[in-house]
Amino acid sequence: MNLILMGAPGAGKGTHAKDISKQFSIPHISTGDILREEVAKGSELGKTAKSYMDEGKLLPDDIIIEIIKGRLQEDDCKNGYLFDGFPRTLVQAQKLDTISRIESVIYLKCDDDILIKRLTGRRIAEDGRIYNIYFDPPPEGIKTYQRDDDNEETIRERLRIFYDTFTPIMEFYKKKNNFHEIRGDEDRTVVYENILSILKNIQKGR
Ligand code: ADP
């Protein structure tokens, strides 16, 4: 299955992508995670990426497309993959169309006030577990950190860019009849059930 999980920053793409990836044994390809790894390594790509990410801006399409092309050639992509945070622009979606057949795009829709609380309150533990100071506070004694781009100014910019670029991408996939919209601000288990019912229908319809 070749899938895309879409949603504004904070919509829960990463959380649900991890569960889907495990259940269907397909790799979770997050361009944000790939870029953060490059930043941590201090590579040339990482240095370039950091300057964009710290401002909440998107990296140039050609850099992202090269990353994706390389990633899709890896062995674990043979039986499908799940994109999270890609495509982020119409150009990326059009380019992807020439190298992959996407079976389903699932959009997690959320209200802005929830997104802002999720992002400003997000805290990450050293083992990668994600907490939230408003909804799911870390237990005492657990050391957490905040993502560099989870500050209010950058969050506002990331949301603005998301809404600017989202509509044309949605139209693109709606024309292909593989666009599904569900609420991302319901209970985590409810959201996941809704995702599963979409994916099971795809498997049935093959
Ligand atoms: P979020 O969805 O919470 O903003 P991501 O982890 O998906 O976070 O992305 C973090 C940052 O990485 C983005 O703000 C952007 O700078 C960069 N980035 C990630 N994916 C892409 C992409 N497909 N195209 C351009 N820039 C990207």
Side-chain angles (χ1 to χ4, degrees), residues 29-63:
I29 304 178
S30 155
T31 40
D33 286 350
I34 294 173
L35 296 172
R36 276 185 291 277
E37 273 165 32
E38 293 297 325
V39 173
K41 277 195 269 178
S43 67
E44 278 310 306
L45 170 60
K47 284 179 201 152
T48 308
K50 187 163 172 44
S51 61
Y52 289 92
M53 293 167 87
D54 281 351
E55 294 204 351
K57 305 263 191 251
L58 295 181
L59 268 81
D61 289 330
D62 49 351
I63 296 184

Side-chain angles (χ1 to χ4, degrees), residues 122-140:
R122 177 156 67 183
R123 297 291 183 279
I124 306 166
E126 259 140 29
D127 65 356
R129 162 87 157 82
I130 295 171
Y131 293 96
N132 188 291
I133 56 169
Y134 304 113
F135 313 121
D136 179 19
E140 234 174 275

Side-chain angles (χ1 to χ4, degrees), residues 60-101:
D61 289 330
D62 49 351
I63 296 184
I64 298 292
I65 288 155
E66 279 312 304
I67 293 175
I68 293 294
K69 275 189 182 159
R71 183 66 186 84
L72 290 185
Q73 266 155 25
E74 287 179 37
D75 257 7
D76 62 344
C77 291
K78 283 205 180 85
N79 296 321
Y81 34 82
L82 167 64
F83 289 122
D84 153 13
F86 173 84
R88 276 271 228 294
T89 64
L90 182 59
V91 171
Q92 291 179 14
Q94 288 165 332
K95 255 285 169 346
L96 177 63
D97 206 40
T98 66
I99 54 174
S100 165
R101 201 182 70 80

